[in-house]
Amino acid sequence: MSGVMKRMGMIFRAKANKALDRAEDPRETLDYSYQKQLELLQKVRRGVADVATSRKRLELQLNQLQNQSTKLEDQGRKALALGREDLAREALSRRAALQQQVTDLETQHQTLQGEEEKLTLAAQRLQAKVDAFRTKKETIKATYTAAQAQTRIGEAFSGISEEMGDVGMAIQRAEDKTAQLQARAGAIDELLASGALDDQSGLAKDDIQSELDRLSGGTDVELELQRMKAELAGGSPQQAIEGGTGQSTAQSQPQDTPRFDKQ
């Protein structure tokens, strides 16, 4: 049972992964990643601003303490000048306490200044990475869009090729049927001419007309032959034809014609 459940879980995860892969658009994923990097860069910049603000606040406190220290030192000098050593000692004691605070603040100021420099450098590096990612992102998006367009065009041409293949097959079938009909018509004409089939329409030629057509075709051949002989001999084609015609007429008449004398 546990094996069946594991198998079902694997099938479900595989189908879910496939569905997510179909639904995922790389361009949207890249834009989302770029947005997250911008948010991270904004956080780093806010961190730099906060550290810089703290550093500036310490600098203001240091200036105030240094001013108070200078004032106490002046008061101690005046007290000594007036012969009030006790006042001078009190002023110097307070100045010593302020100097300890100044030392502590200067240490914190240096620490904050170092942190600020580190964060500023990190922000600059992150900015460079974000800029590089943005350039790469736009390049990948353009390449993906071009590949997607080429795929759609290829699919369109594939559909056109299939349709043209169907059209070509239809044309081939039409040509085959036309050739078959032409061959059938020619065979029927030959059978009708030979008399193997009877022409029920009454348009077929009888045997006398066929013989006359044959003889007339033979005459045309003889005339063409005489014309070609005349051209080879250098004579006129018309004279050769007339000569040939006269000769055939003379040959067709008998040589000795019987005469009938009148008594």
Side-chain angles (χ1 to χ4, degrees):
M1 191 65 184
S2 60
V4 174
M5 295 299 296
K6 288 182 180 179
R7 185 177 179 184
M8 289 179 62
M10 183 179 295
I11 293 174
F12 177 77
R13 288 191 296 270
K15 290 185 177 295
N17 187 28
K18 187 175 182 180
L20 289 174
D21 186 64
R22 287 197 303 267
E24 182 183 8
D25 189 345
R27 294 169 295 184
E28 295 177 355
T29 304
L30 290 172
D31 289 337
Y32 179 76
S33 299
Y34 178 68
Q35 185 65 32
K36 286 298 181 181
Q37 291 185 15
L38 288 178
E39 292 177 1
L40 179 60
L41 178 61
Q42 190 65 26
K43 289 180 180 180
V44 173
R45 287 176 175 175
R46 282 199 297 267
V48 174
D50 293 339
V51 172
T53 302
S54 299
R55 177 183 57 79
K56 192 65 177 176
R57 188 181 298 113
L58 286 178
E59 289 178 356
L60 294 175
Q61 291 178 1
L62 282 172
N63 290 332
Q64 291 177 359
L65 290 177
Q66 288 175 354
N67 291 334
Q68 290 178 6
S69 177
T70 302
K71 183 178 178 181
L72 289 172
E73 184 179 2
D74 293 339
Q75 289 177 349
R77 286 195 181 94
K78 289 180 180 180
L80 285 176
L82 295 174
R84 296 291 305 271
E85 185 176 349
D86 55 339
L87 291 177
R89 185 177 291 107
E90 180 66 21
L92 291 177
S93 298
R94 292 180 182 180
R95 181 176 178 277
L98 287 178
Q99 284 298 119
Q100 184 63 38
Q101 293 181 12
V102 169
T103 302
D104 294 339
L105 288 178
E106 286 180 348
T107 302
Q108 294 181 8
H109 180 270
Q110 292 177 358
T111 302
L112 288 176
Q113 191 172 8
E115 292 295 329
E116 182 182 357
E117 291 176 356
K118 291 179 181 179
L119 289 175
T120 302
L121 182 60
Q124 293 175 353
R125 291 178 179 177
L126 183 59
Q127 179 68 56
K129 290 182 179 180
V130 171
D131 293 339
F133 180 80
R134 179 181 60 188
T135 303
K136 187 175 182 179
K137 172 181 72 73
E138 295 300 328
T139 303
I140 294 175
K141 286 175 62 177
T143 305
Y144 180 83
T145 303
Q148 190 178 42
Q150 290 178 354
T151 302
R152 291 176 179 174
I153 293 173
E155 290 175 352
F157 272 109
S158 177
I160 292 174
S161 299
E162 291 178 359
E163 293 180 0
M164 292 303 295
D166 295 338
V167 172
M169 292 178 64
I171 293 174
Q172 184 64 39
R173 288 195 298 269
E175 290 178 349
D176 292 341
K177 295 178 76 172
T178 301
Q180 185 178 0
L181 291 175
Q182 289 177 348
R184 184 180 178 86
I188 292 174
D189 290 340
E190 291 180 359
L191 291 174
L192 289 174
S194 65
L197 291 178
D198 294 333
D199 188 3
Q200 302 297 330
S201 64
L203 299 177
K205 298 179 181 179
D206 55 11
D207 53 351
I208 298 176
Q209 184 63 37
S210 298
E211 185 64 20
L212 291 175
D213 292 340
R214 186 182 66 81
L215 292 175
S216 119
T219 303
D220 293 337
V221 172
E222 291 296 332
L223 292 176
E224 185 67 19
L225 183 60
Q226 294 298 328
R227 185 182 65 80
M228 293 176 66
K229 288 181 178 181
E231 290 179 355
L232 293 174
S236 172
Q238 185 65 28
Q239 292 177 359
I241 293 173
E242 291 177 354
T245 305
Q247 182 178 359
S248 8
T249 304
Q251 290 177 358
S252 62
Q253 293 179 357
Q255 295 180 358
D256 295 332
T257 303
R259 298 181 180 178
F260 298 95
D261 297 333
K262 294 182 181 181
Q263 298 295 331

